[in-house]
Amino acid sequence: MLIISAIILYICYNLQQISLLSVIIMSCDYEVIVIGSGPGGEGAALKAAKSGLSVAIVEAKEIGGNCTHLGTIPSKALRHTVAHFALHKKYHDYSYPQMLDNAQRVIQAQSELKTGFYKRNNVDMLHGFAKFIDAHNIYVCQEADGEKITEQYSAKYFVIATGSRPYHPKDIDFLHPRILDSDSVLKLKDNPKSITIYGAGVIGCEYASIFRTLKIKVNLINNRERLLSFLDNEVIDALSYHFRERGIRTRHNEFYDMIAADDNEVILKLKSNKVIKSQYLLFAQGRTGNAGELGLENLGIKTNVRGSVKVNENYQTIKQPHIYAVGDVVGYPSLASAAFDQGRFAATHIINGKCDAHLIKDIPTGIYTLPEISSVGKTEQELTEEKVPYEVGHAFFKDLARAQISGKTTGMLKLIFHRESLKFLGIHCFGSQASEIIHIGQAIMSQKGKANSLMYFVNTTFNYPTMAEAYRVAALNGLNRL
């Protein structure tokens, strides 16, 4: 009898808890609140809204997030403008700030487009900074006419998509106008004659090529032995050669000891006792997740030293499974394209309680140097280490009619395939339109079984002249090596 009574009490208690949870859920302002309107937030908010959930998106600054206003869009618009004007004899008449102006047109168009998406899908836009009060409630704080206005909102689920910001060591004065990061470099009103870029990762290499194309003297400081060591060695060699020929001075295996600036210049002292002087310094040493001001510590949600939130395979935070996190704030792969997919996957899990889709295994890399780089799959060095029997096919852009017509003959397409099955193992491209060209090979490489084969490009007729024809040329070149 006592056992039966205990069971009844247990059931009653749990029914009470379920009832209490139902009251909380029914009384929520929204079913889903998404914090951040970058690619991750956009993917989550639109997927949830299109599935019939009530959704709000919180944005502290402008719709589109850092991707639209401070990162991908403005930097790539700047690159395009610089590349375009470099073909004209009088492009030296244009200053760096004038080159930046073109980005504003694109930023405005993108922001208006995304705002339209939210309005059409009945997603409420809450402007301000979000902070968790408890597991189901947040404050949204904004300043209007010098006065702080704080509103409280509740939701059954949350998706954190607050992105990231440039990493700032505490011993460097980023308030000095001559010490820049990847945000402030896009607001520079001067036309520098020299710049030192500390950090030769993707951002550092992209800006090195942009500034050098503008005939600005560039010192590129690399903490590693080679540039972009995650790329195929042949591509790294091509980029290094191109940088050297363009006049970019690259120093490898160097670390800063001290960075100081005055009204005229920045002095960089390296631990090797080298001293480098330039008008400006761009510090490009990675990014930090924007999670520190959300009040997550009160919910038992911890971040690592770079501000990244730990999540499971469904993008749920470990301590609060109804709170999801996507995009740069969770770290790798820190790509706008991947963030949008992560947002959709998180929303799908909220809607269905499961999500069978996951990020693809081979995410293409796009590096917008001048010329650009793109790759997908394995590198030669990885396959050599794994002892996989492979062969390589090349197509050099200097031999393609379309490249000769456009005058953009620097670069190559490299296909790596299995010697026996002819299956694609890796595709690497260096040169004009590389980030577009790579997707042709990616489509075939992602096919199952015999559909992933070098023979597809051997037997396919391409438009002529095109850059896509490089696939036929490279495939035949590889086949002839067997």
Side-chain angles (χ1 to χ4, degrees):
M1 196 71 181
L2 286 172
I3 294 172
I4 294 171
S5 298
I7 291 170
I8 292 170
L9 285 170
Y10 177 79
I11 292 169
C12 289
Y13 173 78
N14 280 281
L15 285 172
Q16 267 190 324
Q17 293 298 103
I18 291 168
S19 177
L20 180 61
L21 179 61
S22 298
V23 169
I24 291 171
I25 290 167
M26 290 295 292
S27 64
C28 285
D29 297 310
Y30 299 96
E31 289 171 284
V32 182
I33 290 180
V34 179
I35 305 173
S37 66
E42 179 183 340
L46 294 181
K47 175 64 179 177
K50 287 178 184 293
S51 299
L53 301 184
S54 60
V55 181
I57 194 160
V58 183
E59 177 52 60
K61 297 177 182 177
E62 298 173 280
I63 295 298
N66 286 341
C67 176
T68 299
H69 297 276
L70 291 173
T72 302
I73 296 303
S75 64
K76 275 50 178 182
L78 168 65
R79 176 197 177 276
H80 175 81
T81 305
V82 170
H84 174 75
F85 279 97
L87 298 174
H88 297 272
K89 291 181 179 179
K90 292 186 177 181
Y91 91 97
H92 298 297
D93 296 340
Y94 294 90
S95 66
Y96 176 72
Q98 285 176 307
M99 296 288 183
L100 281 172
D101 286 343
N102 181 60
Q104 294 306 313
R105 173 184 58 82
V106 184
I107 291 169
Q108 185 65 27
Q110 283 289 305
S111 189
E112 289 174 0
L113 181 72
K114 294 174 190 301
T115 300
F117 289 159
Y118 298 133
K119 287 181 178 178
R120 287 198 301 275
N121 287 282
N122 298 314
V123 176
D124 288 349
M125 288 173 280
L126 311 177
H127 295 280
F129 289 89
K131 185 169 185 176
F132 281 93
I133 304 168
D134 57 39
H136 287 277
N137 291 275
I138 60 169
Y139 283 133
V140 176
C141 182
Q142 65 171 318
E143 282 196 19
D145 301 322
E147 184 180 345
K148 282 190 176 182
I149 301 172
T150 301
E151 300 283 349
Q152 183 175 334
Y153 299 93
S154 59
K156 180 180 178 183
Y157 298 100
F158 293 87
V159 180
I160 299 168
T162 45
S164 62
R165 63 187 184 277
Y167 170 61
H168 283 187
K170 293 180 180 179
D171 61 336
I172 298 176
D173 180 15
F174 286 93
L175 294 177
H176 196 286
R178 293 193 176 276
I179 298 177
L180 310 171
D181 60 24
S182 57
D183 286 354
S184 58
V185 73
L186 290 164
K187 301 173 184 176
L188 183 61
K189 300 301 182 185
D190 197 3
N191 194 38
K193 291 183 173 59
S194 63
I195 189 167
T196 297
I197 301 174
Y198 186 83
V202 172
I203 293 173
C205 285
E206 287 180 349
Y207 275 106
S209 61
I210 288 172
F211 281 118
R212 191 56 197 150
T213 301
L214 290 170
K215 304 300 181 186
I216 295 167
K217 181 181 177 182
V218 176
N219 296 298
L220 182 61
I221 311 302
N222 185 20
N223 300 149
R224 301 182 180 182
E225 291 183 6
R226 308 193 75 194
L227 294 174
L228 305 177
S229 55
F230 59 90
L231 294 174
D232 186 84
N233 280 341
E234 197 168 5
V235 174
I236 298 170
D237 290 341
L239 178 66
S240 299
Y241 173 81
H242 188 73
F243 274 14
R244 187 165 57 251
E245 290 295 294
R246 297 283 300 280
I248 296 172
R249 179 69 170 94
T250 305
R251 302 173 191 270
H252 299 287
N253 290 321
E254 296 281 10
F255 298 86
Y256 80 88
D257 183 45
M258 180 271 293
I259 295 173
D262 58 28
D263 292 341
N264 301 308
E265 64 183 4
V266 182
I267 299 172
L268 168 65
K269 182 181 178 183
L270 299 171
K271 290 188 176 180
S272 63
N273 284 328
K274 297 183 183 73
V275 176
I276 299 171
K277 298 180 181 180
S278 57
Q279 284 187 314
Y280 289 89
L281 182 136
L282 169 59
F283 191 89
Q285 281 281 58
R287 300 180 68 82
T288 301
N290 289 327
E293 304 300 321
L294 292 172
L296 298 179
E297 63 280 359
N298 299 326
L299 305 178
I301 301 173
K302 296 181 180 179
T303 59
N304 65 16
V305 291
R306 279 294 178 106
S308 295
V309 177
K310 189 175 181 180
V311 293
N312 64 17
E313 68 277 6
N314 298 312
Y315 302 102
Q316 295 169 289
T317 58
I318 308 305
K319 294 290 186 179
Q320 302 287 349
H322 71 287
I323 300 176
Y324 295 68
V326 298
D328 280 14
V329 77
V330 302
Y332 179 85
S334 298
L335 297 170
S337 53
F340 187 85
D341 287 338
Q342 290 171 326
R344 289 193 302 112
F345 300 156
T348 301
H349 193 268
I350 289 171
I351 296 156
N352 301 327
K354 65 175 185 176
C355 180
D356 296 327
H358 299 281
L359 287 180
I360 59 174
K361 179 185 175 184
D362 294 314
I363 299 174
T365 297
I367 301 169
Y368 296 88
T369 46
L370 288 161
E372 64 194 57
I373 299 167
S374 195
S375 66
V376 63
K378 301 278 189 176
T379 64
E380 273 203 74
Q381 54 267 33
E382 287 173 331
L383 292 169
T384 298
E385 187 175 335
E386 294 169 11
K387 296 181 172 59
V388 175
Y390 70 87
E391 192 48 86
V392 173
H394 289 97
F396 295 98
F397 287 4
K398 64 182 177 60
D399 301 323
L400 301 179
R402 184 62 179 267
Q404 293 168 352
I405 291 167
S406 66
K408 297 176 181 178
T409 55
T410 298
M412 67 172 180
L413 174 66
K414 176 178 181 177
L415 307 180
I416 307 177
F417 58 95
H418 197 282
R419 286 186 60 89
E420 296 164 6
S421 67
L422 303 184
K423 174 183 176 181
F424 283 110
L425 304 171
I427 301 169
H428 308 275
C429 192
F430 173 74
S432 176
Q433 301 180 58
S435 61
E436 303 284 354
I437 292 168
I438 200 72
H439 293 302
I440 300 169
Q442 181 195 20
I444 302 304
M445 185 175 164
S446 65
Q447 300 304 304
K448 304 295 182 183
K450 293 183 179 180
N452 175 5
S453 173
L454 184 77
M455 297 310 295
Y456 174 85
F457 293 116
V458 172
N459 297 323
T460 295
T461 301
F462 286 84
N463 283 332
Y464 178 83
T466 59
M467 294 304 293
E469 184 201 4
Y471 278 97
R472 180 183 62 83
V473 174
L476 289 170
N477 176 260
L479 198 62
N480 288 336
R481 290 178 173 174
L482 293 177

